[in-house]
Structures are given as structure tokens and as C-alpha cells.
Amino acid sequence: MISLRIIFYVLSVVILTATAMAITRKNLVHAVLYLIQSFFATAILFYLLGAPLLAALEVIIYAGAIMVLFLFIIMTLIAGETQAGHGRRQWIFPGILGVVSILAAFFLIFEAPGTQTMVAPAMVRPLVFGEYIFSKYWLPVEIVSLLLFVALAGALYLGRYKSGGQVETEVEQ
Amino acid sequence: MIASYNELILLSIFVFILGAVCSASRRNLIMILVGVEIMLNASGIALIAGSLRWGILDGQVFVIFIMALAAAEVSVGLALIIYSHKRTGSVNSDDYSRLRG
């Protein structure tokens, strides 16, 4: 079972590298494409950790829907514009805080008891998973569907409000 | 054996802090939202790792809820970005320093 460990390390390196490249790109399209790569690697990691349904949903929702929405917005709003250069100075304080947090987490995790246990591979079938959700968590599923409906209505309202808002400011001026 | 539990949690923490640094240091509203997405994804990795370690399904259930939450958040957030871009002509968060633009 040494091969699963190798796959895990390779996936970790791919995820961390792609995410680090994504957050430092000046071109937003490149950043989103690196992030899609990171999400694909995360989907494979989910499959490795025994969640095939979540791996499929990661590809469909994160890499498929959300990132394509980001690409649409970038291409409609600021395609071709050169982004204002972000100087190195604004990376200093978040970088320091991030390094300190990582060091704290590192020491905390390796000091804490019970974290050295190895995780054995297991797999849950999507049928079992779906039955578990809809038998034990049916009320949160309904609440989440209501949340999605509210988000849809809010996005529609924000998109419509523009014309009314502009007319209002013109009248005031 | 896939990995030890602390390696999985460390991977999740690294990705989470990368997202936090991204959304704290970038000035572009779209990149701030991208940082929030990275952080939600990292919490999903931690939940699935815990679900696999203890052999119960509740962690994976919450990852599904996180995905629905991320979809709702990003749709409203991008609608807000479009709205403020139409009002001020910029997606740079430093340009929103006036209350009555």
C-alpha cells in the first residue's frame, strides 16, 4: 500500500503548487486556470480519501460551475485591462501572519496526541451516501435548497437594480 | 495506508492559509472571492479526512453543504462585484473609499 502514499504526496504537491501559483498571478485568467487545476487535483484527493460522489461534485460544481462563472465575470468586466500592479509591500504582513499561523499549526499538530494514526483506505458508495443524507439530514438539505433559491433571487435583484439606481442618481443630480 | 491524519490536516491548513493570504493581500475583488473559495475547499479536505479517519459519513455530508454554500456565496458575490463595477467602474477595493460615489 505504499503506492497510495506516493499518490497522496504527489497530489499534495500539485494542490499546493497550483494554489500558490493561482494566488500570485497578475493575470486573473491565469489565476483562475491554475485554480481549476488545483480543484481537479483536490477531486482526485477526495476520491483517494473514499468519497467518489464528492469527487464528481467537486469537478462539476467547483471546477465546472464556479470557476466558469469567475471566467465569465472576468471576461465581461475586465478583459484586456491591465491590472494595477500589486506591489510586493502588500504581501508582507499577510505573508508574515500566514507563516506564523503555519508554524503554530505545525507545532500544535505534532504535539497533539492521537494525530499520528494512519488512515486506512475506505470507500463509500454513492447509493449508501445518498440514502444517509436523505434519511438523517433531510431538513438541512431543504434549508440549503432554500438558501440557493434566496441566492438566485438576490443575484437577480442585484442585476436588475442597476437601471433603477442609475435613474435615481440622475434624478437627484 | 494512505497517510497519517496529521499530514492530511497539515495539507488542509496549508491550503487554507494560502487562501487567507490571497484574500488579505490582493486588492482585486475577484481575487478576494477566489481566496474565499480556496478556504472553503480546504475546509472540505479537513472534513473528508476526519470522516475517513473515524469512519462516519457526517463529514462528507457537510462537504456537500459547503459546496452548496460556496455556489450561493459566489453567485451573490459576483453579482455584487458587477453592481459595484457598474457604479464605480472599477473592481479594485481601494477605489471604494467614498461613501457617496
Side-chain angles (χ1 to χ4, degrees):
Chain A
M1 280 302 178
I2 203 69
S3 58
L4 288 183
R5 278 187 78 87
I6 295 173
I7 292 174
F8 169 72
Y9 287 127
V10 168
L11 283 177
S12 307
V13 169
V14 170
I15 289 172
L16 288 176
T17 314
T19 312
M21 291 292 279
I23 72 173
T24 49
R25 293 303 96 186
K26 280 185 183 175
N27 193 333
L28 291 184
V29 179
H30 291 173
V32 170
L33 290 179
Y34 272 116
L35 204 61
I36 289 176
Q37 199 174 3
S38 161
F39 284 157
F40 272 124
T42 313
I44 303 172
L45 180 68
F46 282 1
Y47 191 84
L48 182 68
L49 295 181
L53 180 66
L54 289 177
L57 281 181
E58 174 92 7
V59 173
I60 293 170
I61 296 179
Y62 268 105
I66 294 180
M67 287 300 124
V68 169
L69 197 60
F70 271 109
L71 275 184
F72 275 152
I73 299 303
I74 290 169
M75 287 177 181
T76 49
L77 287 189
I78 49 178
E81 287 182 25
T82 55
Q83 290 303 304
H86 48 284
R88 295 184 185 280
R89 205 166 58 84
Q90 74 187 37
W91 288 92
I92 292 177
F93 285 113
I96 289 174
L97 292 180
V99 168
V100 169
S101 314
I102 283 179
L103 285 180
F106 210 79
F107 288 123
L108 186 64
I109 282 179
F110 281 98
E111 288 292 317
T115 54
Q116 302 287 339
T117 50
M118 297 297 285
V119 174
M123 185 75 82
V124 52
R125 285 187 300 138
L127 178 65
V128 179
F129 185 54
E131 282 179 351
Y132 186 76
I133 284 185
F134 283 104
S135 61
K136 190 175 177 185
Y137 286 98
W138 59 271
L139 186 61
V141 168
E142 295 299 322
I143 295 174
V144 160
S145 70
L146 195 66
L147 171 78
L148 282 175
F149 173 72
V150 171
L152 173 69
L156 276 178
Y157 177 73
L158 282 173
R160 263 190 41 165
Y161 185 65
K162 164 64 180 59
S163 56
Q166 200 179 39
V167 169
E168 190 180 340
T169 50
E170 281 175 1
V171 167
E172 283 178 2
Q173 284 165 0
Chain B
M1 296 296 131
I2 295 173
S4 66
Y5 183 62
N6 50 16
E7 287 165 339
L8 288 166
I9 296 297
L10 267 186
L11 172 68
S12 155
I13 287 175
F14 280 158
V15 179
F16 188 93
I17 288 176
L18 280 178
V21 168
C22 172
S23 80
S25 62
R26 298 299 292 257
R27 292 288 179 265
N28 197 315
L29 283 185
I30 297 178
M31 285 310 284
I32 292 175
L33 264 188
V34 163
V36 174
E37 291 300 313
I38 295 173
M39 285 193 272
L40 287 172
N41 197 34
S43 67
I45 295 177
L47 281 172
I48 288 189
S51 173
L52 181 63
R53 179 189 167 180
W54 280 285
I56 47 179
L57 277 177
D58 302 74
Q60 299 192 8
V61 173
F62 278 96
V63 174
I64 282 200
F65 293 149
I66 285 178
M67 282 180 182
L69 199 80
E73 170 253 335
V74 84
S75 61
V76 175
L78 286 175
L80 276 172
I81 287 177
I82 289 181
Y83 177 72
S84 41
H85 182 266
K86 281 179 181 171
R87 269 187 92 94
T88 62
S90 162
V91 290
N92 201 340
S93 64
D94 285 340
D95 294 337
Y96 301 146
S97 54
R98 290 169 56 191
L99 280 180
R100 191 65 184 161

